[in-house]
Amino acid sequence: MTFLPIVERELRVAARKGGTFWMRFSAALAAIAIGVWIFLIMVSNVQSTSAGPTLLYGLSTVLFIYCVSVGLVRTADCLSEEKREGTLGLLFLTDLKGYDIVLGKLAATSLNAIYGMVAIFPVLAVPLLAGGVTGREFTRVLLSSAATLFFSLSLGMFCSGICREDRKSVVLTLVFLLVFCIGIPWLTSALEQLPHHKFFPYTFYIFSPSFLCVSSFEVQFKGLPAQNLYYISLAIIFGLSWLLLAITCFVVPRTWQDKTVSSEKLLRIARWRRNGFLGLANASTFRAHLLHLNPIYWLSSRNRLKPLSLWLFIGLGMIIWGCGLLADPRNWKDPSLQFTSAIICGLILKCWVALEAARLLSVERKNGALELLLCTPLQVRDILAGHLRALTRLFLGPVLVVFAGDIIFLLISRSDRSSLLVWVLGTLIYLLDIAVLAVLALWLGLIGRSPVRAAAAAITRVLVLPWMIFSVLMTFEALAGSPLEKLVPSRLAEFSGTLIWFLISLAIALFFGLSALRHLRRDFRTVAAHQFQSRRAQKQLRASQPTSVASAVALPNG
């Protein structure tokens, strides 16, 4: 009998895919581009003496972000997707064990991620040639990156093993990653400020992958206590990863079945519906109200408990801010902390909107409900309007609360004119990004196979791409001797960078938003009717159709 047969099969299949090669090539190309960008920044700032360490710090930071986010994209929905489709139970009808399936899915989803990390390693060795970096420091960075990647993948497998819905699995993975990478260091640093703490100051740091990444650098490594905490943290991170995989192997054979609903739970659900819990007077009134507005609106808003999680997030943020103001009002009134809090809350809401919007059409397309809807008298514009109204009902309140918080921070902050302009333009881009992400994620979820990857693609295009273009432009502008200062009036010279960033973000958001809206209106029926074809075949089909034919198909149906 072959040992770990699914692992062998998945590795052979993944090794023959063209995407495996392109993943390695893209990762190496991205690392080279980032390295060249960091080098150009050092040249423009005349800091060639610290070229090696600076280049290593920059590349290591990018590699750390990559390793942490891989589990969120690759493994956070691999097992839960099998549960929803009912294929996981078929595997347990064979002689396969839990570890065969878990390790097989891990091999299938993580091979490209591992190849991408390995492709970055040669670029990461360039600082060795630049000087200022030792071989031991380089080795520590490689080990910490491998440990962080393994921890992220294992955490995604664990959350996917205990959840059935993709949204819950992804959110749970994200929460755990934030707790380990940000929450534990922040909590430890806060405990260290206590006047009479009686614990070793590095007690909890060793459980954080971010501490492992930082402590791998030579300066921080030498500043650690006598007992080498880097290797202790490395062992703990690897141990936690294997523990998560072991728990997943134990849990998956026991959680793939559909759970029966007890009579007590059914009674509680009926009582909530009669009392109109978190809705209108009762469930029938709520249903009739939404059906009168738009049937798709009701279909996407049936779960009236869904907005509760968003308001809990808003409430948690308010509680953290209230506790911070009471404990240390001087530091919590700092404008930089207010700006950082606004960015974090806005970024979380944007990612939430993208993930929720990508799920709507993706789930309906997979279970065949979308084709049934297209057989009804409903027009395409009615379907799109219903989904957009459901997203508006879900996110409008929290988005406005965060917007109001930004306005309050803007009014109470004592900043110069440049900072005030950043606040104003950033708030406008925040509202525009929310609207564009909703439309773009709807389209990408319709044509994509996974709502998580569709949401990640929408976030990359709307949030990451503007900053990449802005960074490249600012780098070449600095190398060219700041030609913008000669082109713009002197009174606008200090605002030139902010205005360029605003214009780039505005142009990219409008381009992708209008393009996605045009595709939704024109190609909605074409894509939904060919749901079992590959993405390449769908692109060829849409490209082969004349514009007049596509318009003729779209006009009678909205």
Side-chain angles (χ1 to χ4, degrees):
M1 179 179 179
T2 305
F3 180 67
L4 300 178
I6 297 184
V7 174
E8 181 182 356
R9 177 190 177 278
E10 295 294 346
L11 289 178
R12 290 181 181 274
V13 171
R16 289 175 171 85
K17 290 182 178 179
T20 304
F21 166 78
W22 288 110
M23 180 63 191
R24 295 196 300 265
F25 177 78
S26 302
L29 185 62
I32 293 173
I34 294 173
V36 171
W37 176 66
I38 296 174
F39 180 76
L40 291 177
I41 291 178
M42 291 187 299
V43 170
S44 62
N45 293 329
V46 195
Q47 296 177 353
S48 57
T49 55
S50 58
T54 304
L55 190 59
L56 180 67
Y57 297 158
L59 291 174
S60 300
T61 302
V62 175
L63 181 59
F64 173 76
I65 296 174
Y66 168 80
C67 293
V68 170
S69 59
V70 157
L72 193 65
V73 178
R74 291 287 179 178
T75 60
D77 189 37
C78 59
L79 293 175
S80 55
E81 184 181 10
E82 297 281 352
K83 293 179 184 179
R84 294 192 304 272
E85 295 180 354
T87 56
L88 190 60
L90 298 177
L91 296 176
F92 285 110
L93 296 177
T94 65
D95 294 333
L96 296 173
K97 305 298 181 182
Y99 61 86
D100 290 319
I101 298 174
V102 171
L103 295 180
K105 295 297 293 185
L106 179 64
T109 55
S110 63
L111 181 65
N112 286 344
I114 295 174
Y115 276 161
M117 184 185 66
V118 173
I120 298 175
F121 284 168
V123 184
L124 200 65
V126 173
L128 286 171
L129 304 177
V133 178
T134 63
R136 293 182 178 180
E137 183 178 10
F138 173 71
T139 304
R140 289 194 298 268
V141 170
L142 298 187
L143 290 176
S144 62
S145 301
T148 303
L149 179 67
F150 187 38
F151 175 77
S152 177
L153 293 171
S154 302
L155 183 60
M157 293 293 297
F158 169 75
C159 296
S160 180
I162 62 177
C163 298
R164 181 175 292 270
E165 297 184 8
D166 54 348
R167 180 175 60 252
K168 293 182 179 179
S169 178
V170 172
V171 171
L172 188 61
T173 305
L174 178 61
V175 169
F176 276 125
L177 288 175
L178 292 177
V179 167
F180 277 95
C181 296
I182 300 177
I184 290 179
W186 178 79
L187 179 62
T188 307
S189 61
L191 292 176
E192 288 178 355
Q193 304 300 324
L194 297 177
H196 303 292
H197 65 273
K198 298 182 180 180
F199 61 92
F200 187 63
Y202 291 93
T203 303
F204 301 109
Y205 279 123
I206 56 179
F207 294 94
S208 174
S210 56
F211 169 79
L212 179 64
C213 178
V214 172
S215 62
S216 62
F217 301 131
E218 192 71 21
V219 177
Q220 286 76 15
F221 182 80
K222 291 182 178 178
L224 295 178
Q227 56 271 36
N228 202 328
L229 293 180
Y230 168 80
Y231 294 105
I232 296 177
S233 178
L234 183 67
I236 289 177
I237 297 300
F238 271 116
L240 285 175
S241 304
W242 283 111
L243 179 62
L244 290 172
L245 282 181
I247 295 176
T248 307
C249 295
F250 177 79
V251 167
V252 166
R254 295 163 176 80
T255 58
W256 63 269
Q257 303 94 338
D258 292 331
K259 303 297 181 182
T260 58
V261 182
S262 62
S263 58
E264 292 81 4
K265 187 175 181 180
L266 290 176
L267 290 175
R268 288 198 301 269
I269 295 175
R271 193 180 301 114
W272 285 349
R273 290 179 175 176
R274 284 197 305 268
N275 298 331
F277 184 69
L278 292 178
L280 300 176
N282 49 56
S284 59
T285 306
F286 177 78
R287 177 178 180 272
H289 175 70
L290 296 189
L291 280 175
H292 175 71
L293 297 176
N294 190 306
I296 305 300
Y297 183 24
W298 166 79
L299 188 65
S300 302
S301 305
R302 288 177 296 174
N303 186 2
R304 291 181 287 166
L305 291 176
K306 189 182 295 185
L308 183 61
S309 57
L310 279 166
W311 289 111
L312 288 176
F313 163 70
I314 298 296
L316 179 62
M318 292 181 177
I319 291 174
I320 293 176
W321 253 94
C323 295
L325 286 175
L326 293 176
D328 192 4
R330 182 177 180 182
N331 291 330
W332 280 82
K333 292 181 180 179
D334 184 60
S336 61
L337 183 58
Q338 297 172 359
F339 188 73
T340 304
S341 302
I343 290 178
I344 293 176
C345 291
L347 183 61
I348 292 176
L349 273 181
K350 290 176 184 179
C351 297
W352 209 324
V353 168
L355 182 60
E356 187 64 31
R359 285 189 72 257
L360 293 178
L361 294 179
S362 178
V363 173
E364 291 178 359
R365 184 187 175 199
K366 283 186 176 181
N367 58 25
L370 191 58
E371 286 187 298
L372 296 178
L373 288 176
L374 294 176
C375 296
T376 65
L378 288 174
Q379 299 179 355
V380 171
R381 60 171 176 265
D382 296 326
I383 298 176
L384 298 178
H387 285 306
L388 292 177
R389 294 189 71 166
L391 291 173
T392 302
R393 175 182 175 271
L394 180 61
F395 290 101
L396 181 60
V399 167
L400 292 180
V401 169
V402 175
F403 175 75
D406 294 344
I407 298 300
I408 294 174
F409 287 154
L410 175 62
L411 295 176
I412 65 177
S413 62
R414 299 177 180 177
S415 305
D416 53 7
R417 294 187 303 170
S418 179
S419 300
L420 290 177
L421 183 62
V422 172
W423 269 103
V424 174
L425 297 183
T427 304
L428 295 177
I429 290 297
Y430 157 72
L431 296 176
L432 180 62
D433 286 347
I434 291 287
V436 171
L437 282 171
V439 178
L440 181 59
L442 275 176
W443 168 246
L444 295 179
L446 178 64
I447 64 175
R449 298 181 179 179
S450 170
V452 178
R453 296 184 182 180
I459 292 170
T460 302
R461 297 179 187 184
V462 177
L463 303 183
V464 179
L465 184 59
W467 284 104
M468 295 175 60
I469 297 176
F470 174 74
S471 300
V472 173
L473 287 179
M474 289 297 99
T475 301
F476 283 103
E477 194 267 343
L479 292 175
S482 303
L484 289 176
E485 297 180 358
K486 304 176 183 178
L487 299 177
V488 300
S490 57
R491 55 198 176 109
L492 298 178
E494 60 176 323
F495 308 129
S496 59
T498 304
L499 293 175
I500 290 175
W501 166 79
F502 175 75
L503 293 176
I504 292 174
S505 301
L506 180 64
I508 290 179
L510 291 178
F511 172 76
F512 284 114
L514 295 176
S515 176
L517 188 61
R518 178 174 59 86
H519 282 299
L520 283 172
R521 291 175 175 176
R522 187 189 66 181
D523 303 327
F524 190 90
R525 286 186 176 273
T526 303
V527 175
H530 298 82
Q531 60 171 325
F532 300 109
Q533 291 186 1
S534 64
R535 185 181 300 180
R536 179 179 297 178
Q538 293 176 8
K539 289 182 179 179
Q540 293 176 353
L541 178 63
R542 295 198 302 269
S544 62
Q545 289 183 341
T547 306
S548 58
V549 174
S551 303
V553 174
L555 284 176
N557 302 286

